[in-house]
């Protein structure tokens, strides 16, 4: 008996939306605990669903991941568009993804923002404030590219 295991490789292009979420001269980052970004810090955000507009997806992600209400943050502008290439295994399928990351500059307008919230749903482990000038924290490629771009401005 010969058993042949097939290993599917799925290649996709995804558009993700991220928030460079600013609060008191720092940015809010999420430490991932699983997936292709395990143990890295990332910006709040995720893929844009096929029925969503960019802004609606960004608002949804901020509300879901950071637990801010619509009136507690203000979207300023598109800051940059970056890209990344990741390879990971999801449900026994190898995935090659080309990520197009639309990054918006967003201000938290809530005066007493609480960092003790721990998101329990998807990939986030906890929220932290990170200095824009941070050099030592392990970051996703997109977050590092955004911080490098800000430093050059």
């Amino acid at each position: 008996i010969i058993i042949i295991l097939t290993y599917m490789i799925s290649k996709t292009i995804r558009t993700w939306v991220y928030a460079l979420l600013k609060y008191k001269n720092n940015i809010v980052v999420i430490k991932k605990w699983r997936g292709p970004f395990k143990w890295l810090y990332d910006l709040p955000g995720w893929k844009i669903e096929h029925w969503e507009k960019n802004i609606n997806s960004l608002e949804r992600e901020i509300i879901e991941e950071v637990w801010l209400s619509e009136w507690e943050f203000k979207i300023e502008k598109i800051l940059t568009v970056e890209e990344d290439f990741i390879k990971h295994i999801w449900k026994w399928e190898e995935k090659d993804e080309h990520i197009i990351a639309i990054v918006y500059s967003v201000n938290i307008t809530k005066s007493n923002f609480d960092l003790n919230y721990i998101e329990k749903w998807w990939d986030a482990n906890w929220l932290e404030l990170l200095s824009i000038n941070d050099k030592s924290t392990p970051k996703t490629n997109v977050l590092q590219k955004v911080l490098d771009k800000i430093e050059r401005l």
Side-chain angles (χ1 to χ4, degrees), residues 107-139:
N107 282 316
I108 295 175
T109 57
K110 181 178 182 178
S111 60
N112 58 342
F113 176 58
D114 182 12
L115 281 178
N116 293 321
Y117 165 73
I118 299 174
E119 189 197 88
K120 297 178 175 83
W121 295 109
W122 298 99
D123 289 341
N125 194 7
W126 59 76
L127 298 173
E128 290 190 21
L129 288 176
L130 183 70
S131 166
I132 288 178
N133 300 317
D134 179 273
K135 301 292 184 204
S136 61
T137 304
K139 303 169 194 73

Coordinates of all heavy atoms in Angstrom, one line a residue, residues 107-139:
N107 N -5.6 58.8 16.0 CA -5.4 59.4 17.3 C -6.4 58.8 18.3 O -7.6 58.8 17.9 CB -5.4 60.9 17.3 CG -4.2 61.5 16.8 OD1 -3.1 61.1 17.2 ND2 -4.3 62.5 16.0
I108 N -6.0 58.4 19.5 CA -7.0 58.1 20.5 C -7.4 59.4 21.2 O -6.5 60.1 21.7 CB -6.3 57.1 21.5 CG1 -6.0 55.8 20.9 CG2 -7.3 56.9 22.7 CD1 -5.3 54.8 21.7
T109 N -8.7 59.6 21.2 CA -9.2 60.9 21.8 C -9.7 60.7 23.2 O -9.9 61.6 23.9 CB -10.3 61.5 20.9 OG1 -11.3 60.5 20.8 CG2 -9.8 61.9 19.6
K110 N -9.8 59.4 23.6 CA -10.2 59.1 25.0 C -9.1 59.5 26.0 O -8.0 59.1 25.8 CB -10.5 57.6 25.1 CG -11.0 57.1 26.4 CD -11.3 55.6 26.3 CE -11.8 55.1 27.7 NZ -12.1 53.7 27.6
S111 N -9.5 60.2 27.0 CA -8.5 60.8 27.9 C -7.9 59.7 28.9 O -6.8 59.8 29.3 CB -9.0 61.9 28.7 OG -10.2 61.5 29.5
N112 N -8.7 58.7 29.2 CA -8.2 57.7 30.2 C -8.2 56.3 29.5 O -8.8 55.4 30.0 CB -9.1 57.7 31.4 CG -10.6 57.4 31.1 OD1 -11.0 57.6 30.0 ND2 -11.3 57.1 32.1
F113 N -7.4 56.2 28.5 CA -7.3 54.9 27.8 C -6.7 53.8 28.7 O -5.7 54.0 29.3 CB -6.4 55.1 26.5 CG -6.2 53.9 25.7 CD1 -7.2 53.1 25.2 CD2 -4.9 53.4 25.5 CE1 -7.0 52.0 24.5 CE2 -4.6 52.3 24.8 CZ -5.7 51.6 24.3
D114 N -7.4 52.7 28.8 CA -7.0 51.6 29.7 C -6.2 50.5 28.9 O -6.8 49.8 28.1 CB -8.2 51.0 30.3 CG -7.9 49.9 31.4 OD1 -6.8 49.8 31.7 OD2 -8.9 49.3 31.8
L115 N -5.0 50.3 29.3 CA -4.2 49.2 28.7 C -4.3 47.9 29.4 O -3.6 47.0 29.0 CB -2.7 49.6 28.7 CG -2.4 50.6 27.6 CD1 -0.9 51.0 27.7 CD2 -2.6 50.1 26.2
N116 N -5.1 47.8 30.4 CA -5.3 46.5 31.1 C -6.2 45.5 30.4 O -6.3 44.3 30.8 CB -5.8 46.7 32.5 CG -4.8 47.5 33.3 OD1 -3.6 47.2 33.2 ND2 -5.3 48.4 34.1
Y117 N -6.8 45.9 29.3 CA -7.6 45.0 28.5 C -6.8 44.0 27.8 O -5.8 44.3 27.2 CB -8.5 45.8 27.5 CG -9.1 44.9 26.5 CD1 -10.1 44.1 26.8 CD2 -8.5 44.8 25.2 CE1 -10.6 43.2 25.8 CE2 -9.1 44.0 24.2 CZ -10.1 43.1 24.6 OH -10.6 42.3 23.7
I118 N -7.1 42.8 27.9 CA -6.4 41.7 27.1 C -7.4 41.1 26.1 O -8.5 40.6 26.5 CB -5.9 40.6 28.1 CG1 -4.9 41.2 29.1 CG2 -5.3 39.4 27.3 CD1 -4.5 40.2 30.1
E119 N -7.1 41.2 24.9 CA -8.0 40.7 23.9 C -7.9 39.1 23.9 O -6.8 38.6 23.9 CB -7.6 41.2 22.5 CG -8.7 40.8 21.5 CD -8.3 40.9 20.1 OE1 -7.7 39.9 19.6 OE2 -8.5 41.9 19.5
K120 N -9.0 38.5 23.8 CA -9.1 37.0 24.0 C -9.5 36.3 22.7 O -9.7 35.1 22.7 CB -10.0 36.6 25.1 CG -9.6 37.1 26.5 CD -10.6 36.8 27.5 CE -10.1 37.1 28.9 NZ -10.3 38.5 29.3
W121 N -9.7 37.1 21.6 CA -10.4 36.4 20.5 C -9.4 35.8 19.5 O -9.3 34.6 19.4 CB -11.3 37.4 19.8 CG -12.4 37.8 20.6 CD1 -12.6 39.0 21.3 CD2 -13.5 37.0 21.1 NE1 -13.7 39.0 22.0 CE2 -14.3 37.8 21.9 CE3 -13.8 35.7 20.8 CZ2 -15.4 37.3 22.5 CZ3 -15.0 35.2 21.4 CH2 -15.8 36.0 22.3
W122 N -8.7 36.6 18.7 CA -7.9 36.0 17.7 C -6.4 35.8 18.0 O -6.0 34.9 18.7 CB -8.1 36.8 16.4 CG -9.5 36.8 16.0 CD1 -10.4 37.7 16.2 CD2 -10.2 35.7 15.3 NE1 -11.7 37.3 15.7 CE2 -11.6 36.1 15.2 CE3 -9.8 34.4 14.9 CZ2 -12.5 35.3 14.6 CZ3 -10.8 33.6 14.3 CH2 -12.1 34.0 14.1
D123 N -5.6 36.6 17.4 CA -4.1 36.4 17.6 C -3.5 37.3 18.7 O -2.3 37.1 19.0 CB -3.4 36.8 16.3 CG -3.7 35.7 15.2 OD1 -4.1 34.6 15.6 OD2 -3.5 36.0 14.0
A124 N -4.2 38.2 19.2 CA -3.6 39.2 20.1 C -3.5 38.6 21.5 O -4.4 37.9 22.0 CB -4.4 40.5 20.2
N125 N -2.4 38.8 22.2 CA -2.2 38.4 23.5 C -2.4 39.6 24.5 O -3.1 39.5 25.5 CB -0.8 37.8 23.7 CG -0.6 37.0 25.0 OD1 -1.6 36.8 25.7 ND2 0.6 36.6 25.3
W126 N -1.8 40.7 24.2 CA -2.0 41.9 25.1 C -1.6 43.1 24.3 O -0.9 43.1 23.3 CB -1.2 41.8 26.4 CG 0.2 41.7 26.3 CD1 1.1 42.7 25.9 CD2 1.0 40.5 26.5 NE1 2.4 42.2 25.9 CE2 2.4 40.8 26.3 CE3 0.7 39.2 26.8 CZ2 3.4 39.9 26.4 CZ3 1.8 38.3 26.9 CH2 3.1 38.7 26.7
L127 N -2.1 44.2 24.8 CA -1.8 45.5 24.3 C -0.7 46.2 25.1 O -0.6 46.0 26.3 CB -3.0 46.4 24.4 CG -4.3 46.0 23.6 CD1 -5.5 46.9 24.0 CD2 -4.0 46.0 22.1
E128 N 0.1 47.0 24.4 CA 1.2 47.7 25.1 C 1.4 49.0 24.4 O 1.0 49.2 23.2 CB 2.5 46.9 25.1 CG 2.5 45.7 26.0 CD 3.9 45.1 26.1 OE1 4.9 45.8 25.9 OE2 3.9 43.9 26.5
L129 N 1.9 50.0 25.1 CA 2.4 51.2 24.5 C 3.8 51.1 24.1 O 4.6 50.6 24.9 CB 2.2 52.4 25.4 CG 0.7 52.8 25.6 CD1 0.7 53.9 26.7 CD2 0.1 53.3 24.4
L130 N 4.2 51.5 22.9 CA 5.6 51.4 22.4 C 6.0 52.8 22.0 O 5.3 53.5 21.3 CB 5.6 50.4 21.3 CG 6.9 50.1 20.6 CD1 7.7 49.2 21.6 CD2 6.7 49.3 19.3
S131 N 7.2 53.1 22.3 CA 7.8 54.4 21.8 C 8.0 54.3 20.3 O 8.4 53.2 19.8 CB 9.1 54.6 22.5 OG 9.8 55.7 21.8
I132 N 7.8 55.4 19.6 CA 8.0 55.4 18.2 C 9.5 55.2 17.9 O 9.8 54.6 16.8 CB 7.5 56.7 17.6 CG1 5.9 56.7 17.6 CG2 8.0 56.9 16.2 CD1 5.2 57.9 17.1
N133 N 10.3 55.5 18.8 CA 11.8 55.4 18.6 C 12.3 54.0 19.1 O 13.6 53.8 19.1 CB 12.5 56.5 19.3 CG 12.1 57.8 18.8 OD1 12.0 58.0 17.6 ND2 11.9 58.8 19.7
D134 N 11.5 53.1 19.5 CA 11.9 51.8 20.0 C 12.8 51.0 19.0 O 12.4 50.9 17.8 CB 10.7 51.0 20.4 CG 11.1 49.6 20.9 OD1 11.3 48.7 20.1 OD2 11.3 49.5 22.1
K135 N 13.9 50.5 19.4 CA 14.8 49.8 18.5 C 14.9 48.3 18.9 O 15.3 47.5 18.1 CB 16.2 50.4 18.6 CG 16.3 51.8 18.2 CD 16.0 52.0 16.7 CE 16.2 53.4 16.3 NZ 15.5 53.8 15.1
S136 N 14.5 47.9 20.1 CA 14.8 46.6 20.6 C 13.6 45.6 20.6 O 13.8 44.4 20.6 CB 15.3 46.6 22.0 OG 14.4 47.2 22.9
T137 N 12.4 46.1 20.6 CA 11.2 45.2 20.6 C 11.1 44.4 19.3 O 11.2 45.0 18.2 CB 10.0 46.0 20.9 OG1 10.1 46.8 22.1 CG2 8.7 45.2 21.0
P138 N 10.9 43.1 19.3 CA 10.7 42.3 18.1 C 9.3 42.7 17.4 O 8.3 42.7 18.0 CB 10.6 40.9 18.6 CG 10.3 40.9 20.0 CD 10.8 42.3 20.5
K139 N 9.4 43.1 16.2 CA 8.3 43.6 15.4 C 8.0 42.9 14.1 O 8.9 42.3 13.6 CB 8.5 45.1 15.1 CG 8.8 46.0 16.3 CD 9.3 47.3 15.8 CE 10.0 48.1 16.9 NZ 11.3 47.6 17.3

